[in-house]
Amino acid sequence: MRLHRLTVTAFGPFGGRQEIDFDALGRAGLFLLHGATGAGKTSVLDAVCFALYNAVPGTRQSAGTTLRSDHAAPGTRTEVCLDLTVAGRRIEVTRQPPWERPKKRGTGTTTEKAQSWLREHDAETGTWKDLSRSHQEIGAEIESLLGMSRDQFCQVVLLPQGDFARFLRADAEARGKLLGRLFDTRRFASVEAHLAERRRAAQAEVTAGDNRLLAVAHRIQQAAGDAAELPLPDIAPGEPGLAAALSAWAAVARAGARERLTVAACAVTAAESAQARARTELAAVQETHRLQTRYAEARARAARLDERADEQRAWQERMERARKAETVTPALALRAATDAEHQDARRAETAARALLPDRFDGASASGLTAAARKALEELGGLESARRAEQRLAELAERRAEADRQERADAEALQEAAAWLDGWESRRRTLQKRIEHAQDAATRAEHLAGRLEPARERAAAAHRRDRLAAQAADAKEQALTAREDAGAAHEHWLHLKERRLQGIAAELAQGLAPGEPCSVCGATEHPEPARTVEGHVGRQAEEAALAAYRGADEHRAEAERALADVREALAAETAAAGDASARELADAAAELEQRHAEARQVALGLHAAREALARAEAEHERRLAHRQEAATRAASRSSLRESLDREQAALEEELAQARGDAASVAVRAGQLERQAALLTDAADAVRAADDAARRLKDADARLADAAYRAGFATPEDAADAALDDRAHRELQHRIDARRQEEAAVRAVLAEPDTAAADRLPPADPQAAQAAADAADLRLRTAVSARAAAEHRCAELDRLSRQSAAEVRQLGPLRTEFDRVARLAGLTAGTSAENERKMRLESYVLAARLEQVAAAATARLQRMSSGRYTLVHSDDRAGRGRSGLGLHVVDSWTGRERDTATLSGGETFFASLALALGLADVVTDEAGGVRLDTLFIDEGFGSLDDQTLDEVLDVLDSLRERDRSVGIVSHVADLRRRVHAQLEVVKGRAGSRVRQVGGE
C-alpha cells in the first residue's frame, strides 16, 4: 500500500482545504511530520484512517465529538480525499461525514447525510472510473484490498509507540487481547467454546440419562411397595456406579415380589375349596325353601278359587246369551250402516240446495241436470273473448315497460350529466393524491436511512447502562477476591513459618538406627527432636498453599471479568455517546413514527393510481351510456303508436262479450261455478233417495232375525250382543279360572313339594350369608394374587426399561469422557496440559514467537547487537503460560523481563517490536505490501548514538521502496531528516507546509 495524495477540508484543526503530497515526501524514504503541540500532527493520521475506514483510531471519535473543524466556514463541508495504490490498483476514496449546514431558504440549519465515493484510475485511458457510493460496499472493498481491519491498520501502518511500550511491559492477558485483535484467533476461541459447549451438553445428557434411570428406579420402588426390602442406593445423578447399584437393587426387589406371588397363589386355592362347599349348601337350602313356599302358595290359591265359584257361573250364563245374539249381529250392523248413510245423504242434499238460487228450490234431480247443461253451453262461447282479454293485458304490460325504460333512461342521462360536469375537478384531485403519495415515498426512503443508526445508538445506550451496573458489581467482586487472596496468602505464610520452626522434629521422624542423618550425616541419633503441641505438618501447609492458589485464581478471574466488562462498557459508550438511553430511544421512536407515517402515506400510491384509472374508465362508460339512451328514446315512439291501435280494437270486442260482468274472466267464472253447483245438487238428490230405500229394507230384515233368535224385540238382541273386545275379555276370564284350578291341583299333587312341606322351615338367609363370606374370602385372595402378578409384571417391565436406559447411557458416558478430556486440554484446565495453556494462547504464542524473531533483526541493530527479544512460555505463578516476552542481554548473557529496560531502551525495543509485528501481520493478511508507514513519538528518549542507529534502521526500510513518516516534535530530528511536513497552527485553524523531498 502506497499513499500518493491526501486532501482534507474543514477536518479537525484544519479550517480550510489542505493538500499533502506523499509522493514528494516519500522520495527521500524518510520524512518528518512535526509541529507545535496541538497543531494537528495526529489529525493527519486520523484523516488517512477516516478515508479508508470511515472512522478515526481509538476513542477519538467517541459520542459527543465531531470531526468537523470549529474554524471552518458555515458553508464549507467537511471532506477527506485519499489517493493511494493498493494491491496493484490505484484508487481514490472520498469521505464526507454528516454535517449541519445553513438552510438555503429561511433561517436555521439542516442535517445532511454522510457520503462516500470510491474511484479507480484507468492507466490505459488516464481517467478515473466511479466504482461505488455505498458506505458498506466501499468499506468491504477497502478491507478486502488491504486485508486488515481498522485495528490492525492502526497497529501496523500507524505505529503507536505508546501502545507497544505498554505491550512490551504488559502481562500475558493484555498481550493476548492485542494479539487476538491483530491476528483474529476467534476461530480457535470458537473451538474452545464449541468443545466446552459439547462437554456441557454431554454432561447434561449423562445427567439426564441418570435422572431417567433414577426415575425408573423410583417407579420400581413404587411398584414393589413393601416388597422392596432395601432402600434405593444413595448415589447422585452423574456419579459413576449408579447404573450397577440400581440394577442390583432392582433384582432384589423382583425376588421379593415373586415370593409374595407364590404365597398369594396358595391362599387362592384354599379359598376356592371353601367357596365351593358353601355354594353347595346354599343351593340345597334354597331349593327346600322354594318347594315349601310353592306348596303354601298353592293351598292359598285353592282357597281363593272356592270363594269365587258363583262369579264363575254368572260368566258362563252371560256367554250363552251372547252366542244367541251373534245370529242377529249381521242384521243389526246392516241397519246401523244404512241409517248412517241415509243421514249423510240428507245432510249433503240440504247443503247442496243451500248454494243454489231460490228459483231451484224443490227442483228434481233431472231438472237440476238440465240447468247445469245449459250453463256449460254458454261457457263454451266465451273462449275467444278470453284470448282477446289476455292479449289486451300483454299490450298494457308492454306499454308500462316502455314507460319504465323511458323514466330509467331519463334518470341515467341526468346522473351522467351531473357526473360528467364534475369530471375535471375529480381528475385533478386524484392526480394531486398521486403526487402526495410520491412525495411521501421519497420522504420515507430518506427517514429509513436515518432510522437504523438511531436504533443502533439507542440499543448501545441500553447495553451501556446495563454494563455500567455490571462493572460496579464486577469491581466489588474483584475487591472481595483480592482481600480473600491476601488473607489466604498471609495464612499460608504463617503456617509455613510455623512448620519451619518445627522442621527438625519433622526430619527426626525419618531417622532410623544406623542410617545417616540427612542434615549432619551422623549415624547415631542420641536425642532426636520431638514434635511439640501445635506443630504444623506438611499436609496442613500444602492445604493452605492450595487454598491460597485457589483464591489467587479466583482473584485473577474476577479482575479479568472486570476488565472485560470495562472494555465492553467503553465500546458501548463510544457507540452510544453521552446521551441517555431514554433520549436516544425517544429520538429513534420519533424517527420511526415519522417513517411509519410517511410510509403509510406512500402505501396509498398504488391505490391512488388505480382510483384514477377507474375514474377514467367510468368517464368513458358514462359517455357511451348517454349515447345508447338517446338511441333507445327514438325507437320507443313508433312502438307506442302500434300498441295503441291494437288496444282499441281488442277493447271493443271485449265490451260485447262480457256483458254486465266486470270482465270476460269474471263472467266465465260465474258460469263455471253455477254449472258445478247444479251438477253437485242433482247428484246429492239422487243419493238421498237411494239411501231412504236401503234403510226401509234393513229394518224388515232386522225384525225377522231377532224373532228367529228368540228375542222379543231387536233392542233385546242388541243388548245381549257383545263386541269382540268384551267377548275376548269374558272368555279370557273363564279360561284363566279353569287354568288356575288345573295348576293348583298339579302343584298339590307333586311328591317333592308335598315332602318338602313336611320338613322343618328352611333358612336361606343364613346359608346366603355363609356363601357370601366364602365369596368375599375368595375375592380377597384373588385380588391379592392379581396384585402380586401385576407387581411382578410391572417390575419385569420396568427392569427391562431400566436395562434399556443403562445400555443407552453407556455410549453417552463414553462420549462425555472423550469430550471432557478434549475440552480440558483446549481450555488449559486438564492435568495433561502441564503449562495450563489454552488453544487460543497456544496459537498466539506461535504468532508472538514470529513477531519476536522479526523484531530481533532490527533490535540488534538499534542496540548495537546487545539485545535480543525471545518468546517465553513459562508460567507466571499460578497463571497460564504461553505469552511471555523476555529480552536477552548479550553483555551479561542473562535473560530478563522487558520491564527492566530503560526508557530509551524501551522505545527502540517497542519500535522494533512494532516493525516486526507489522511484517508478521502483513504476511498474515495475504502479503499486502505496505510502502507507507507512520511512527508516532518516542524519539525524545534516545541519546544521539542510539538515535542514529534507530534512524539507520528506519532508513533501511527504503531498501524495499518504503517511505516512513516520523511523527515527532524532537528538534534534533529536523536537522537529521530533510523531507518534512510541518503542521502550523493559527487562529484561523492549522495548515500544512512541506519542506524538502521535492
Side-chain angles (χ1 to χ4, degrees), residues 60 87 91 140 156 190 222 246 277 323 348 359 402 465 510 527 573 615-616 644 713 730 746 764 791 837-838 845 867:
R60 290 196 288 275
I91 60 175
V156 173
S190 299
Q222 183 179 4
L246 290 178
R277 291 192 299 271
R323 289 196 187 96
R359 67 177 180 271
D465 297 344
E527 293 183 2
T573 302
E616 290 176 346
D644 291 341
T713 62
L730 181 59
R791 181 186 299 115
M837 185 183 295
R838 293 172 48 226
Y867 294 117

Coordinates of all heavy atoms in Angstrom, one line a residue, residues 60 87 91 140 156 190 222 246 277 323 348 359 402 465 510 527 573 615-616 644 713 730 746 764 791 837-838 845 867:
R60 N -11.0 8.6 19.7 CA -11.0 10.0 19.3 C -12.3 10.3 18.5 O -12.6 11.5 18.2 CB -9.8 10.3 18.4 CG -8.5 10.3 19.2 CD -7.4 11.0 18.5 NE -6.9 10.3 17.3 CZ -6.0 9.3 17.4 NH1 -5.5 9.0 18.6 NH2 -5.6 8.7 16.3
A87 N -2.6 -3.2 -3.7 CA -2.8 -4.5 -4.4 C -2.7 -4.2 -5.9 O -3.5 -4.8 -6.7 CB -4.1 -5.1 -4.0
I91 N -6.5 3.8 -6.4 CA -7.9 4.1 -6.1 C -7.9 5.5 -5.4 O -6.9 5.9 -4.9 CB -8.6 3.1 -5.3 CG1 -7.9 2.9 -3.9 CG2 -8.7 1.8 -6.0 CD1 -8.5 1.9 -3.0
A140 N -16.2 -2.7 2.6 CA -15.8 -4.1 2.3 C -14.7 -4.2 1.2 O -13.8 -5.0 1.3 CB -17.1 -4.9 1.8
V156 N -0.4 -1.5 12.5 CA 0.6 -1.9 11.6 C 1.1 -0.7 10.8 O 2.3 -0.5 10.5 CB 0.1 -3.0 10.6 CG1 1.1 -3.3 9.5 CG2 -0.2 -4.2 11.4
S190 N -13.4 -20.1 19.3 CA -14.7 -20.7 19.0 C -14.5 -22.3 19.1 O -15.5 -22.9 19.6 CB -15.1 -20.4 17.5 OG -15.3 -19.0 17.3
Q222 N -41.9 -47.7 43.7 CA -43.4 -47.5 43.9 C -44.1 -48.8 43.6 O -45.1 -49.2 44.3 CB -43.8 -46.4 43.1 CG -45.3 -46.0 43.3 CD -45.7 -44.8 42.4 OE1 -44.9 -44.3 41.7 NE2 -46.9 -44.4 42.6
L246 N -28.2 -49.6 40.9 CA -29.7 -49.7 40.7 C -30.1 -51.0 40.1 O -31.2 -51.5 40.5 CB -30.1 -48.5 39.8 CG -30.0 -47.1 40.4 CD1 -30.5 -46.1 39.4 CD2 -30.9 -47.0 41.7
R277 N -67.8 -75.5 48.8 CA -68.6 -76.1 49.8 C -69.8 -75.2 50.2 O -70.9 -75.7 50.4 CB -67.8 -76.5 51.0 CG -66.8 -77.6 50.8 CD -66.1 -78.1 52.1 NE -65.4 -77.0 52.8 CZ -64.1 -76.7 52.6 NH1 -63.4 -77.4 51.7 NH2 -63.6 -75.8 53.3
R323 N -123.8 -65.8 22.6 CA -123.8 -66.7 21.5 C -125.1 -66.6 20.7 O -125.1 -66.7 19.4 CB -123.5 -68.1 21.9 CG -122.1 -68.3 22.5 CD -121.8 -69.8 22.5 NE -120.5 -70.1 23.2 CZ -120.4 -70.4 24.5 NH1 -121.4 -70.4 25.2 NH2 -119.2 -70.5 25.0
A348 N -126.0 -33.9 2.9 CA -125.4 -33.4 1.7 C -126.4 -32.7 0.7 O -126.1 -31.7 0.1 CB -124.7 -34.6 1.0
R359 N -134.7 -19.9 -7.2 CA -135.6 -20.4 -8.2 C -135.5 -21.9 -8.4 O -136.3 -22.6 -9.1 CB -135.3 -19.7 -9.5 CG -134.0 -20.0 -10.1 CD -133.8 -19.3 -11.5 NE -132.5 -19.5 -12.1 CZ -131.5 -18.8 -11.9 NH1 -131.6 -17.7 -11.1 NH2 -130.3 -19.1 -12.5
A402 N -92.3 0.1 -21.6 CA -91.8 1.2 -22.4 C -91.7 2.5 -21.5 O -90.7 3.2 -21.6 CB -92.6 1.5 -23.6
D465 N -25.8 1.2 29.8 CA -26.3 1.3 31.2 C -26.3 0.0 31.9 O -25.9 -0.1 33.1 CB -27.8 1.8 31.1 CG -27.8 3.2 30.5 OD1 -26.8 3.9 30.5 OD2 -28.9 3.6 30.1
G510 N 12.0 -39.3 60.3 CA 12.5 -40.2 59.3 C 13.8 -40.9 59.6 O 14.4 -41.6 58.8
E527 N 19.6 -37.8 70.7 CA 18.4 -37.0 71.2 C 17.7 -36.4 70.0 O 17.9 -35.2 69.6 CB 18.9 -35.9 72.1 CG 19.5 -36.4 73.4 CD 19.8 -35.2 74.3 OE1 19.6 -34.1 73.9 OE2 20.3 -35.5 75.4
T573 N -20.1 2.7 25.2 CA -20.1 4.2 25.4 C -19.7 4.9 24.1 O -20.3 6.0 23.8 CB -19.2 4.6 26.6 OG1 -19.7 3.8 27.7 CG2 -19.3 6.0 26.9
A615 N -61.6 5.9 -12.5 CA -62.3 7.1 -12.8 C -62.3 7.4 -14.3 O -63.4 7.7 -14.9 CB -61.8 8.3 -12.0
E616 N -61.2 7.2 -15.0 CA -61.1 7.4 -16.4 C -62.0 6.4 -17.1 O -62.7 6.7 -18.1 CB -59.7 7.3 -16.9 CG -58.8 8.5 -16.4 CD -57.4 8.3 -16.8 OE1 -57.0 7.2 -17.2 OE2 -56.6 9.3 -16.7
D644 N -101.2 1.3 -29.4 CA -102.4 2.0 -29.2 C -103.5 1.5 -30.2 O -104.7 1.3 -29.8 CB -102.2 3.5 -29.4 CG -101.4 4.1 -28.2 OD1 -101.3 3.4 -27.2 OD2 -100.8 5.2 -28.4
T713 N -137.7 -58.4 20.9 CA -137.6 -57.2 20.1 C -136.1 -57.1 19.6 O -135.2 -57.7 20.2 CB -137.9 -55.9 20.9 OG1 -137.0 -55.8 22.0 CG2 -139.3 -55.9 21.4
L730 N -114.3 -61.6 28.4 CA -115.1 -62.6 29.2 C -114.6 -64.0 29.0 O -114.4 -64.7 30.0 CB -116.6 -62.5 28.8 CG -117.6 -63.4 29.5 CD1 -117.6 -63.1 31.0 CD2 -119.0 -63.2 28.9
A746 N -102.3 -79.5 40.1 CA -101.0 -80.1 39.8 C -99.9 -79.9 40.8 O -99.1 -80.8 41.1 CB -100.5 -79.5 38.4
P764 N -82.8 -69.7 54.2 CA -81.8 -69.3 53.1 C -80.9 -68.1 53.4 O -79.9 -68.0 52.9 CB -82.8 -69.0 52.0 CG -84.1 -68.6 52.6 CD -84.2 -69.4 53.9
R791 N -47.7 -56.7 40.1 CA -46.5 -56.2 40.6 C -45.3 -56.8 40.0 O -44.3 -56.2 39.5 CB -46.4 -56.4 42.2 CG -45.1 -55.8 42.8 CD -45.0 -56.2 44.3 NE -46.1 -55.6 45.0 CZ -47.0 -56.3 45.7 NH1 -47.0 -57.6 45.6 NH2 -47.9 -55.7 46.4
M837 N -2.0 -24.0 29.2 CA -2.1 -23.1 28.0 C -3.3 -23.4 27.2 O -3.5 -24.5 26.8 CB -0.8 -23.3 27.1 CG -0.8 -22.2 26.0 SD 0.6 -22.5 24.9 CE 2.0 -22.1 26.1
R838 N -4.2 -22.4 27.0 CA -5.4 -22.5 26.2 C -5.0 -22.6 24.7 O -3.9 -22.2 24.3 CB -6.3 -21.3 26.4 CG -6.9 -21.3 27.7 CD -7.7 -20.0 28.0 NE -8.6 -19.7 26.9 CZ -8.7 -18.5 26.3 NH1 -7.9 -17.5 26.7 NH2 -9.5 -18.3 25.3
A845 N 0.9 -17.7 21.0 CA 2.3 -17.8 21.3 C 3.1 -18.1 20.1 O 4.2 -17.6 20.0 CB 2.4 -19.0 22.3
Y867 N 20.8 -6.5 22.5 CA 19.6 -7.1 23.0 C 18.9 -8.0 21.9 O 19.0 -7.7 20.7 CB 18.6 -6.0 23.4 CG 19.0 -5.2 24.6 CD1 19.2 -3.9 24.5 CD2 19.1 -5.9 25.8 CE1 19.6 -3.1 25.6 CE2 19.5 -5.1 26.9 CZ 19.8 -3.8 26.8 OH 20.2 -3.1 27.9

